PDB file of all heavy atoms in Angstrom:
ATOM      1  N   MET A  17     -13.394  -5.060  -7.818  1.00  0.00           N
ATOM      2  CA  MET A  17     -13.236  -3.631  -8.090  1.00  0.00           C
ATOM      3  C   MET A  17     -12.089  -3.056  -7.258  1.00  0.00           C
ATOM      4  O   MET A  17     -11.233  -2.312  -7.763  1.00  0.00           O
ATOM      5  CB  MET A  17     -14.540  -2.895  -7.788  1.00  0.00           C
ATOM      6  CG  MET A  17     -14.488  -1.408  -8.113  1.00  0.00           C
ATOM      7  SD  MET A  17     -16.052  -0.560  -7.830  1.00  0.00           S
ATOM      8  CE  MET A  17     -16.977  -1.016  -9.285  1.00  0.00           C
ATOM      9  N   ASN A  19      -9.508  -4.623  -6.105  1.00  0.00           N
ATOM     10  CA  ASN A  19      -8.244  -5.107  -6.676  1.00  0.00           C
ATOM     11  C   ASN A  19      -7.840  -4.287  -7.888  1.00  0.00           C
ATOM     12  O   ASN A  19      -6.666  -3.923  -8.030  1.00  0.00           O
ATOM     13  CB  ASN A  19      -8.371  -6.582  -7.081  1.00  0.00           C
ATOM     14  CG  ASN A  19      -8.157  -7.492  -5.890  1.00  0.00           C
ATOM     15  OD1 ASN A  19      -7.435  -7.128  -4.950  1.00  0.00           O
ATOM     16  ND2 ASN A  19      -8.791  -8.653  -5.908  1.00  0.00           N
ATOM     17  N   VAL A  30      -4.644  16.740 -13.157  1.00  0.00           N
ATOM     18  CA  VAL A  30      -4.773  18.158 -13.516  1.00  0.00           C
ATOM     19  C   VAL A  30      -3.829  18.469 -14.678  1.00  0.00           C
ATOM     20  O   VAL A  30      -4.121  19.306 -15.531  1.00  0.00           O
ATOM     21  CB  VAL A  30      -4.533  19.065 -12.290  1.00  0.00           C
ATOM     22  CG1 VAL A  30      -4.352  20.527 -12.709  1.00  0.00           C
ATOM     23  CG2 VAL A  30      -5.716  18.950 -11.331  1.00  0.00           C
ATOM     24  N   GLU A  89     -30.086  19.666  -7.389  1.00  0.00           N
ATOM     25  CA  GLU A  89     -28.707  20.130  -7.524  1.00  0.00           C
ATOM     26  C   GLU A  89     -28.521  21.483  -6.850  1.00  0.00           C
ATOM     27  O   GLU A  89     -27.698  22.311  -7.260  1.00  0.00           O
ATOM     28  CB  GLU A  89     -28.269  20.094  -9.011  1.00  0.00           C
ATOM     29  CG  GLU A  89     -28.347  18.659  -9.529  1.00  0.00           C
ATOM     30  CD  GLU A  89     -27.777  18.394 -10.918  1.00  0.00           C
ATOM     31  OE1 GLU A  89     -27.208  19.295 -11.548  1.00  0.00           O
ATOM     32  OE2 GLU A  89     -27.914  17.228 -11.359  1.00  0.00           O
ATOM     33  N   ALA A  93     -28.159  25.542 -11.198  1.00  0.00           N
ATOM     34  CA  ALA A  93     -28.268  26.141 -12.537  1.00  0.00           C
ATOM     35  C   ALA A  93     -28.259  27.666 -12.428  1.00  0.00           C
ATOM     36  O   ALA A  93     -27.546  28.347 -13.171  1.00  0.00           O
ATOM     37  CB  ALA A  93     -29.531  25.655 -13.242  1.00  0.00           C
ATOM     38  N   ILE A 120     -40.319  27.210 -26.123  1.00  0.00           N
ATOM     39  CA  ILE A 120     -39.207  28.050 -26.582  1.00  0.00           C
ATOM     40  C   ILE A 120     -39.679  29.507 -26.620  1.00  0.00           C
ATOM     41  O   ILE A 120     -40.698  29.812 -27.253  1.00  0.00           O
ATOM     42  CB  ILE A 120     -38.728  27.608 -27.996  1.00  0.00           C
ATOM     43  CG1 ILE A 120     -38.198  26.166 -27.940  1.00  0.00           C
ATOM     44  CG2 ILE A 120     -37.652  28.565 -28.518  1.00  0.00           C
ATOM     45  CD1 ILE A 120     -37.904  25.575 -29.326  1.00  0.00           C
ATOM     46  N   PRO A 123     -37.011  34.184 -29.935  1.00  0.00           N
ATOM     47  CA  PRO A 123     -35.739  34.860 -29.708  1.00  0.00           C
ATOM     48  C   PRO A 123     -35.798  36.375 -29.950  1.00  0.00           C
ATOM     49  O   PRO A 123     -35.070  37.124 -29.316  1.00  0.00           O
ATOM     50  CB  PRO A 123     -34.779  34.186 -30.697  1.00  0.00           C
ATOM     51  CG  PRO A 123     -35.576  33.237 -31.513  1.00  0.00           C
ATOM     52  CD  PRO A 123     -36.934  33.120 -30.931  1.00  0.00           C
ATOM     53  N   TYR A 126     -37.409  40.300 -26.828  1.00  0.00           N
ATOM     54  CA  TYR A 126     -36.296  40.482 -25.876  1.00  0.00           C
ATOM     55  C   TYR A 126     -36.737  40.646 -24.425  1.00  0.00           C
ATOM     56  O   TYR A 126     -35.934  40.789 -23.546  1.00  0.00           O
ATOM     57  CB  TYR A 126     -35.398  41.661 -26.319  1.00  0.00           C
ATOM     58  CG  TYR A 126     -36.138  42.954 -26.548  1.00  0.00           C
ATOM     59  CD1 TYR A 126     -36.541  43.748 -25.465  1.00  0.00           C
ATOM     60  CD2 TYR A 126     -36.435  43.370 -27.845  1.00  0.00           C
ATOM     61  CE1 TYR A 126     -37.231  44.928 -25.678  1.00  0.00           C
ATOM     62  CE2 TYR A 126     -37.124  44.552 -28.064  1.00  0.00           C
ATOM     63  CZ  TYR A 126     -37.524  45.336 -26.975  1.00  0.00           C
ATOM     64  OH  TYR A 126     -38.208  46.497 -27.189  1.00  0.00           O
ATOM     65  N   THR A 139     -32.429   7.080 -17.404  1.00  0.00           N
ATOM     66  CA  THR A 139     -33.833   7.017 -17.040  1.00  0.00           C
ATOM     67  C   THR A 139     -34.199   8.209 -16.144  1.00  0.00           C
ATOM     68  O   THR A 139     -33.307   8.884 -15.634  1.00  0.00           O
ATOM     69  CB  THR A 139     -34.133   5.709 -16.253  1.00  0.00           C
ATOM     70  OG1 THR A 139     -33.468   5.765 -14.956  1.00  0.00           O
ATOM     71  CG2 THR A 139     -33.561   4.488 -16.980  1.00  0.00           C
ATOM     72  N   GLY A 143     -39.235  10.270 -11.981  1.00  0.00           N
ATOM     73  CA  GLY A 143     -40.254   9.636 -12.820  1.00  0.00           C
ATOM     74  C   GLY A 143     -40.300   8.123 -12.633  1.00  0.00           C
ATOM     75  O   GLY A 143     -41.024   7.431 -13.357  1.00  0.00           O
ATOM     76  N   VAL A 212     -19.346  13.548 -21.636  1.00  0.00           N
ATOM     77  CA  VAL A 212     -18.842  13.403 -23.009  1.00  0.00           C
ATOM     78  C   VAL A 212     -19.521  14.441 -23.881  1.00  0.00           C
ATOM     79  O   VAL A 212     -20.650  14.859 -23.615  1.00  0.00           O
ATOM     80  CB  VAL A 212     -19.110  12.003 -23.622  1.00  0.00           C
ATOM     81  CG1 VAL A 212     -18.348  10.931 -22.911  1.00  0.00           C
ATOM     82  CG2 VAL A 212     -20.580  11.668 -23.677  1.00  0.00           C
ATOM     83  N   ASP A 214     -19.169  17.043 -27.834  1.00  0.00           N
ATOM     84  CA  ASP A 214     -18.507  17.471 -29.061  1.00  0.00           C
ATOM     85  C   ASP A 214     -17.360  18.421 -28.729  1.00  0.00           C
ATOM     86  O   ASP A 214     -17.356  19.080 -27.695  1.00  0.00           O
ATOM     87  CB  ASP A 214     -19.528  18.152 -29.979  1.00  0.00           C
ATOM     88  CG  ASP A 214     -20.588  17.161 -30.456  1.00  0.00           C
ATOM     89  OD1 ASP A 214     -20.239  15.974 -30.632  1.00  0.00           O
ATOM     90  OD2 ASP A 214     -21.752  17.557 -30.614  1.00  0.00           O
ATOM     91  N   ARG A 223     -11.544  23.966 -17.859  1.00  0.00           N
ATOM     92  CA  ARG A 223     -11.557  25.217 -17.088  1.00  0.00           C
ATOM     93  C   ARG A 223     -12.733  25.250 -16.118  1.00  0.00           C
ATOM     94  O   ARG A 223     -12.559  25.568 -14.942  1.00  0.00           O
ATOM     95  CB  ARG A 223     -11.606  26.418 -18.029  1.00  0.00           C
ATOM     96  CG  ARG A 223     -11.749  27.757 -17.294  1.00  0.00           C
ATOM     97  CD  ARG A 223     -11.800  28.938 -18.247  1.00  0.00           C
ATOM     98  NE  ARG A 223     -10.533  29.111 -18.946  1.00  0.00           N
ATOM     99  CZ  ARG A 223      -9.480  29.754 -18.436  1.00  0.00           C
ATOM    100  NH1 ARG A 223      -9.547  30.294 -17.229  1.00  0.00           N
ATOM    101  NH2 ARG A 223      -8.358  29.855 -19.118  1.00  0.00           N
ATOM    102  N   PHE A 228     -15.157  24.924 -10.664  1.00  0.00           N
ATOM    103  CA  PHE A 228     -16.079  24.270  -9.726  1.00  0.00           C
ATOM    104  C   PHE A 228     -15.337  23.508  -8.623  1.00  0.00           C
ATOM    105  O   PHE A 228     -15.946  22.914  -7.746  1.00  0.00           O
ATOM    106  CB  PHE A 228     -17.013  23.299 -10.472  1.00  0.00           C
ATOM    107  CG  PHE A 228     -18.092  23.974 -11.281  1.00  0.00           C
ATOM    108  CD1 PHE A 228     -18.847  23.240 -12.183  1.00  0.00           C
ATOM    109  CD2 PHE A 228     -18.380  25.323 -11.147  1.00  0.00           C
ATOM    110  CE1 PHE A 228     -19.853  23.833 -12.937  1.00  0.00           C
ATOM    111  CE2 PHE A 228     -19.379  25.936 -11.898  1.00  0.00           C
ATOM    112  CZ  PHE A 228     -20.120  25.189 -12.800  1.00  0.00           C
ATOM    113  N   ALA A 240     -10.095   3.559 -12.261  1.00  0.00           N
ATOM    114  CA  ALA A 240      -9.937   2.108 -12.414  1.00  0.00           C
ATOM    115  C   ALA A 240     -11.219   1.384 -11.995  1.00  0.00           C
ATOM    116  O   ALA A 240     -11.605   0.378 -12.600  1.00  0.00           O
ATOM    117  CB  ALA A 240      -8.760   1.609 -11.579  1.00  0.00           C
ATOM    118  N   ALA A 241     -11.870   1.922 -10.979  1.00  0.00           N
ATOM    119  CA  ALA A 241     -13.154   1.343 -10.549  1.00  0.00           C
ATOM    120  C   ALA A 241     -14.168   1.476 -11.693  1.00  0.00           C
ATOM    121  O   ALA A 241     -14.945   0.557 -11.959  1.00  0.00           O
ATOM    122  CB  ALA A 241     -13.667   2.044  -9.300  1.00  0.00           C
ATOM    123  N   ASP A 256     -31.144  -6.424 -11.643  1.00  0.00           N
ATOM    124  CA  ASP A 256     -31.776  -5.391 -10.806  1.00  0.00           C
ATOM    125  C   ASP A 256     -33.177  -5.083 -11.327  1.00  0.00           C
ATOM    126  O   ASP A 256     -34.116  -4.906 -10.544  1.00  0.00           O
ATOM    127  CB  ASP A 256     -30.951  -4.095 -10.817  1.00  0.00           C
ATOM    128  CG  ASP A 256     -29.550  -4.284 -10.240  1.00  0.00           C
ATOM    129  OD1 ASP A 256     -29.303  -5.326  -9.604  1.00  0.00           O
ATOM    130  OD2 ASP A 256     -28.711  -3.383 -10.443  1.00  0.00           O
ATOM    131  N   LYS A 259     -35.571  -7.928 -10.420  1.00  0.00           N
ATOM    132  CA  LYS A 259     -35.963  -7.881  -9.000  1.00  0.00           C
ATOM    133  C   LYS A 259     -36.972  -6.750  -8.760  1.00  0.00           C
ATOM    134  O   LYS A 259     -37.939  -6.915  -8.006  1.00  0.00           O
ATOM    135  CB  LYS A 259     -34.731  -7.689  -8.113  1.00  0.00           C
ATOM    136  CG  LYS A 259     -33.842  -8.929  -8.007  1.00  0.00           C
ATOM    137  CD  LYS A 259     -32.804  -8.732  -6.906  1.00  0.00           C
ATOM    138  CE  LYS A 259     -31.933  -9.965  -6.730  1.00  0.00           C
ATOM    139  NZ  LYS A 259     -30.558  -9.759  -7.187  1.00  0.00           N
ATOM    140  N   THR A 281     -37.178  -0.209 -15.029  1.00  0.00           N
ATOM    141  CA  THR A 281     -35.757  -0.465 -14.720  1.00  0.00           C
ATOM    142  C   THR A 281     -35.600  -0.857 -13.253  1.00  0.00           C
ATOM    143  O   THR A 281     -36.214  -1.829 -12.836  1.00  0.00           O
ATOM    144  CB  THR A 281     -34.892   0.761 -15.119  1.00  0.00           C
ATOM    145  OG1 THR A 281     -35.426   1.936 -14.503  1.00  0.00           O
ATOM    146  CG2 THR A 281     -34.878   0.954 -16.630  1.00  0.00           C
ATOM    147  N   GLU A 287     -47.562   4.177  -4.185  1.00  0.00           N
ATOM    148  CA  GLU A 287     -48.320   5.068  -3.317  1.00  0.00           C
ATOM    149  C   GLU A 287     -49.102   4.245  -2.310  1.00  0.00           C
ATOM    150  O   GLU A 287     -49.745   3.258  -2.682  1.00  0.00           O
ATOM    151  CB  GLU A 287     -49.264   5.921  -4.179  1.00  0.00           C
ATOM    152  CG  GLU A 287     -49.960   7.007  -3.405  1.00  0.00           C
ATOM    153  CD  GLU A 287     -50.908   7.839  -4.276  1.00  0.00           C
ATOM    154  OE1 GLU A 287     -50.795   7.764  -5.520  1.00  0.00           O
ATOM    155  OE2 GLU A 287     -51.762   8.526  -3.698  1.00  0.00           O
ATOM    156  N   ASN A 314     -47.403  10.686   0.046  1.00  0.00           N
ATOM    157  CA  ASN A 314     -47.624   9.289   0.456  1.00  0.00           C
ATOM    158  C   ASN A 314     -47.022   8.265  -0.515  1.00  0.00           C
ATOM    159  O   ASN A 314     -47.441   7.113  -0.569  1.00  0.00           O
ATOM    160  CB  ASN A 314     -49.117   8.996   0.668  1.00  0.00           C
ATOM    161  CG  ASN A 314     -49.366   8.362   2.043  1.00  0.00           C
ATOM    162  OD1 ASN A 314     -48.559   8.528   2.973  1.00  0.00           O
ATOM    163  ND2 ASN A 314     -50.441   7.620   2.183  1.00  0.00           N
TER     164      ASN A 314
END
Side-chain angles (χ1 to χ4, degrees):
M17 183 177 281
N19 277 332
V30 167
E89 299 188 4
I120 298 171
Y126 54 78
T139 68
V212 294
D214 294 327
R223 175 180 294 277
F228 286 169
D256 298 346
K259 287 191 178 110
T281 54
E287 188 181 344
N314 232 23

